[in-house]
Amino acid sequence: MRRLALALFAVMALALTGCAQDFDPGPKGRVTEKVKDGKKFYLVVDPAKGGGKKKFRVSKYDYHDCNRGSKYPKCVDD
C-alpha cells in the first residue's frame, strides 16, 4: 500500500511540473499596459534605461500581480 501511495505521489508531482508556465523574463521597468488575449496574458513595460516599450507574455499570476505604474519584475512588492 505504501508503494502505491509513493508511486501515485510521484505521478502527480510530474503532472503538476508539466503545467507550470515558463516564459522568458521581460525587461526591468514600469508597467504601462496590461493586455489579455484569450488565455494569453501580456505586459507592456517601459524600460528604465531608454529603449522603447516592450510587450511580452507572462503567466496569469504575474499579470494579476502587476498593475499599471508598478515596477516589473517585482510588482507585488510595490
Side-chain angles (χ1 to χ4, degrees):
M1 186 69 162
R2 185 175 177 161
R3 288 183 183 173
L4 177 63
L6 288 173
L8 183 60
F9 177 76
V11 169
M12 289 174 52
L14 287 173
L16 290 175
T17 303
C19 294
Q21 295 176 339
D22 188 24
F23 301 109
D24 292 333
K28 295 180 181 179
R30 292 265 176 206
V31 176
T32 60
E33 190 177 348
K34 295 170 65 169
V35 180
K36 183 177 175 187
D37 182 15
K39 291 186 177 183
K40 296 178 182 176
F41 302 93
Y42 298 90
L43 292 177
V44 179
V45 170
D46 189 9
K49 294 187 177 186
K53 295 179 182 178
K54 181 169 181 175
K55 177 180 173 182
F56 56 96
R57 190 168 175 194
V58 293
S59 70
K60 68 180 177 181
Y61 304 107
D62 285 344
Y63 179 84
H64 291 295
D65 289 345
C66 293
N67 297 313
R68 288 177 186 90
S70 62
K71 292 179 186 175
Y72 181 84
K74 297 190 178 198
C75 299
V76 176
D77 296 334
D78 276 12

